[in-house]
Amino acid sequence: MSIPTTRTREAASITILEEKCNACGKCVSVCSDFSLMLENGKVRVSELALYGCIGCGHCMAVCPEDAIEIQGREISPSDMYDLPPKEAAASYEQLLALYQRRRSIRKFRKKEIDNSLIEKILEAAKTAPMGIPPSDVHVMVLNGTDKCRAFAQDFCNYLKSLKWMVSGWFLAVMRPFWGKANDEMFRRFIKPLFRIYIENMEAGRNLVNYDVPLAMYFYGSPYTDPADPIVAATYAMHAGESLGLGTCMLGAVHPFIQNGGKARKLREKYKIKYASREGLFVIFGYSAFDYRKAIRRSFAEVSLI
Ligand SMILES: Cc1cc2nc3c(=O)[nH]c(=O)nc-3n(C[C@H](O)[C@H](O)[C@H](O)COP(=O)(O)O)c2cc1C
Ligand code: SF4
Ligand code: SF4
């Protein structure tokens, strides 16, 4: 048995290079699939594997002798590289400063973003953890202000065809099924949002993605852990911040482009391959403002048990 994704349906194959192996057992201990076992002083592929090698690469990453090779599920020994030195990693203070300096930016200078920065953002985002490797996160990149605006325009045109979704009769019918909180959110947030997006776009103001020079949409497939695109988007956002870009997450597009024929057409136009349980846009550009203060935030609740 193996865990399917859109990229692979097979378990990876495991090769132990016996002439190199010193039987330290590190690979056995680190394998969360229980794919490996020590028997008579030798590492063997175990019959007790949970799913079969998922290709996480942990065994290759800990082996002191380069004595184990995983092949398949989009991983091979050539994907392994030396860890950056510990001193090169951001300290807690540096990371916290990056987080504290971040604001959601919605006003941008008219300056396009160099392709090298886009590559850097994606390179960093690829390091994000995923439910099951290999990552089944897909990314649609709108590179350039014109493309971001065209998408926003198409989205607003599409929203017009969904106005029934925020009509009085539909909300009244749905309330018993989706409950008070959804009802309130639709009436007090989503319904006005439709109008705000559409009317402003008609007046030449793009409040969907703010005429930003770069937008990335992170989404999954029917196989993806729903959290994976959100985790990757968060990594991308912080990578953008570290490169001096202003960023903002946009949650309002994804839920509306999942269901129905018109949503499928919009997805096809933008090469979005799947409807996805969760997904998130992140926009990137050069902020029109310098902020002077950070804001102390709180969670709704932290329960220490
Ligand atoms: C999941 C998520 C979705 C968001 N969606 C939008 C959006 O559609 N449009 C927008 O202008 N801001 C959006 N934001 C930005 C929030 O409004 C912003 O984080 C909040 O106002 C707090 O401001 P700060 O990020 O500067 O601390 C989103 C943020 C998150 C985390
Ligand atoms: S790649 Fe992961 S699952 Fe496969 S043998 Fe190594 S540690 Fe186990
Ligand atoms: S970690 Fe490497 S050297 Fe140690 S038992 Fe596993 S394959 Fe052998």
Side-chain angles (χ1 to χ4, degrees):
M1 193 168 48
S2 62
I3 303 175
T5 78
T6 61
R7 302 175 73 184
T8 178
R9 306 184 64 80
E10 309 298 328
S13 70
I14 304 167
T15 307
I16 315 288
L17 307 176
E18 289 196 5
E19 67 286 2
K20 288 185 170 180
C21 176
N22 66 14
C24 68
K26 286 183 177 169
C27 56
V28 177
S29 303
V30 84
C31 178
S32 56
D33 183 64
F34 303 102
S35 278
L36 301 166
M37 59 187 283
L38 268 176
E39 192 179 61
N40 302 327
K42 288 192 167 173
V43 179
R44 298 260 173 259
V45 176
S46 170
E47 305 280 296
L48 301 174
L50 299 180
Y51 293 101
C53 175
I54 59 171
C56 69
H58 280 227
C59 52
M60 289 196 285
V62 294
C63 177
E65 308 292 344
D66 291 332
I68 184 161
E69 293 187 351
I70 304 299
Q71 199 76 239
R73 292 187 77 84
E74 306 282 332
I75 190 171
S76 75
S78 65
D79 292 312
M80 308 307 289
Y81 56 92
D82 291 337
L83 283 182
K86 213 170 183 177
E87 313 79 62
S91 65
Y92 174 79
E93 284 72 23
Q94 288 169 325
L95 195 62
L96 185 64
L98 186 78
Y99 290 173
Q100 287 172 330
R101 290 181 61 84
R102 184 203 61 79
R103 286 274 67 77
S104 290
I105 302 302
R106 302 181 180 89
K107 290 268 186 289
F108 297 96
R109 283 190 269 142
K110 288 196 187 322
K111 184 177 173 190
E112 299 293 324
I113 293 179
D114 199 81
N115 283 341
S116 64
L117 297 192
I118 300 175
E119 278 164 31
K120 284 184 172 177
I121 291 168
L122 291 171
E123 196 56 30
K126 283 183 217 164
T127 68
M130 73 290 296
I132 300 290
S135 169
D136 211 345
V137 171
H138 302 247
V139 191
M140 188 273 289
V141 180
L142 292 169
N143 182 3
T145 308
D146 291 349
K147 287 181 189 152
C148 292
R149 173 163 260 269
F151 180 88
Q153 182 75 62
D154 283 343
F155 178 66
C156 285
N157 289 340
Y158 161 71
L159 275 192
K160 285 184 203 167
S161 72
L162 293 186
K163 274 189 175 166
W164 57 268
M165 203 187 259
V166 289
S167 63
W169 68 265
F170 181 73
L171 296 182
V173 169
M174 291 308 289
R175 189 186 153 119
F177 298 101
W178 67 23
K180 181 171 178 248
N182 266 321
D183 184 61
E184 282 192 322
M185 285 307 278
F186 261 79
R187 285 178 198 279
R188 295 164 68 161
F189 177 48
I190 307 292
K191 187 173 182 169
L193 191 67
F194 270 46
R195 190 178 44 74
I196 290 164
Y197 278 167
I198 293 167
E199 287 179 5
N200 276 283
M201 189 55 96
E202 282 169 353
R205 285 184 297 270
N206 170 5
L207 299 190
V208 176
N209 58 30
Y210 308 105
D211 284 348
V212 74
L214 173 67
M216 294 186 184
Y217 174 48
F218 295 82
Y219 66 99
S221 80
Y223 294 97
T224 312
D225 187 308
D228 283 3
I230 313 301
V231 178
T234 307
Y235 271 50
M237 180 184 75
H238 287 303
E241 293 286 328
S242 77
L243 293 165
L245 298 172
T247 63
C248 188
M249 289 179 156
L250 302 180
V253 176
H254 166 82
F256 297 109
I257 61 170
Q258 303 313 310
N259 301 310
K262 287 184 181 145
R264 183 169 43 76
K265 279 207 175 111
L266 185 67
R267 292 200 307 272
E268 279 168 5
K269 179 167 180 183
Y270 287 94
K271 299 194 171 85
I272 298 167
K273 282 171 84 177
Y274 301 100
S276 170
R277 275 174 290 175
E278 290 293 347
L280 195 57
F281 269 85
V282 186
I283 56 174
F284 305 83
Y286 293 93
S287 175
F289 301 117
D290 286 331
Y291 284 81
R292 291 182 52 239
K293 306 264 187 193
I295 305 169
R296 190 165 296 111
R297 299 280 198 202
S298 57
F299 282 130
E301 191 180 337
V302 178
S303 309
L304 290 176
I305 310 294

